Amino acid sequence: DIQMTQSPSSLSASVGDRVTITCRASQSISSYLNWYQQKPGKAPKLLIYAASSLQSGVPSRFSGSGSGTDFTLTINSLQPEDFATYYCQQSYIYPRTFGQGTKLEIK
Amino acid sequence: EVQLVQSGAEVKKPGESLKISCKGSGYTFTKNWIGWVRQMPGKGLEWMGIIYPGDSDTRYSPSFQGQVTFSADKSISTAYLQWSSLKASDTAMYYCARHWDASNAFDIWGQGTMVAVSS
């Protein structure tokens, strides 16, 4: 299986901040990388697919980049509703593994 | 509206069997894979596998192969996840999600089904 490792596991930030979350794959996955947001008690929501494509309806303050093994999710100008847990997922080969998650908390 | 609606929460005893469901609407159910994702209490997301309702082709994660069974009834646009003998360690929230080929990602998620297994 491909291992997906996110860093940090948690971080604190303030409204208006810019934050970056990193995801590293244990082998090259080209650009087959997705990002999801999950709020407490809710199902995950797709934010970014194919490493950098914004899912329809997702605010433009979210962006993704990277290819190969290293990827980033950036959130510009954090809003109160952005405080949640974020997961990366590789869609290169089966099983389509997720990272362990990054919890974004309010400072 | 495209949506997946899952069956309600379950409380079962170890050794019992269980089948939970995921009903799709608002799109052609047979044209997209449906995935299953486990989330144990306080933990992250785990990819269990996927099923193609059009022909019931399946892909299981090695971690779940032999532990669960996926099935689908395309006549009623419903996918299923079942266990033949539950364990306490199966206690978790289970999500179904539509795999959208254009994005190669899970773009629509069910609301989740909580399964609690306790003696």
Side-chain angles (χ1 to χ4, degrees), chain A residues 49-69:
Chain A
Y49 62 93
S52 61
S53 295
L54 196 66
Q55 174 69 354
S56 175
V58 174
S60 59
R61 63 181 179 273
F62 291 92
S63 63
S65 65
S67 67
T69 60

Side-chain angles (χ1 to χ4, degrees), chain B residues 74-97:
Chain B
K74 57 187 178 182
S75 70
I76 55 171
S77 300
T78 300
Y80 301 97
L81 168 61
Q82 70 179 89
W83 296 259
S84 59
S85 181
L86 286 160
K87 310 179 188 67
S89 57
D90 293 318
T91 294
M93 180 71 83
Y94 293 89
Y95 293 102
C96 65

Side-chain angles (χ1 to χ4, degrees), chain A residues 1 32 34 36 38 41-46 48-50 55 87 89 91-92 94-100, chain B residues 33 37 39 43-47 50 59-63 95 99 102-107 109-112:
Chain A
D1 298 4
Y32 293 95
N34 308 313
Y36 300 87
Q38 187 180 33
K42 299 295 186 182
K45 172 187 173 184
L46 177 63
I48 302 282
Y49 62 93
Q55 174 69 354
Y87 295 93
Q89 181 212 17
S91 54
Y92 184 65
Y94 296 120
R96 303 275 175 93
T97 41
F98 289 94
Q100 82 279 13
Chain B
W33 294 80
V37 176
Q39 187 167 40
K43 302 299 184 183
L45 306 175
E46 298 176 88
W47 191 91
I50 54 175
R59 303 281 188 274
Y60 291 93
S61 166
S63 299
Y95 293 102
H99 180 271
S103 62
N104 198 13
F106 288 142
D107 70 329
W109 291 68
Q111 82 277 19

Side-chain angles (χ1 to χ4, degrees), chain A residues 53-87:
Chain A
S53 295
L54 196 66
Q55 174 69 354
S56 175
V58 174
S60 59
R61 63 181 179 273
F62 291 92
S63 63
S65 65
S67 67
T69 60
D70 295 311
F71 302 87
T72 58
L73 172 70
T74 299
I75 312 172
N76 287 301
S77 188
L78 271 173
Q79 298 300 300
E81 61 268 29
D82 299 337
F83 293 93
T85 300
Y86 294 85
Y87 295 93

Side-chain angles (χ1 to χ4, degrees), chain B residues 15-86:
Chain B
E16 292 185 331
S17 62
L18 177 64
K19 192 174 190 178
I20 64 174
S21 66
C22 169
K23 182 174 176 62
S25 62
Y27 75 101
T28 304
F29 188 72
T30 53
K31 299 283 192 185
N32 295 97
W33 294 80
I34 292 288
W36 290 95
V37 176
R38 183 175 78 175
Q39 187 167 40
M40 300 177 78
K43 302 299 184 183
L45 306 175
E46 298 176 88
W47 191 91
M48 301 175 69
I50 54 175
I51 182 168
Y52 190 73
D55 61 6
S56 291
D57 189 14
T58 56
R59 303 281 188 274
Y60 291 93
S61 166
S63 299
F64 292 93
Q65 179 86 47
Q67 308 305 307
V68 297
T69 302
F70 305 146
S71 60
D73 185 340
K74 57 187 178 182
S75 70
I76 55 171
S77 300
T78 300
Y80 301 97
L81 168 61
Q82 70 179 89
W83 296 259
S84 59
S85 181
L86 286 160

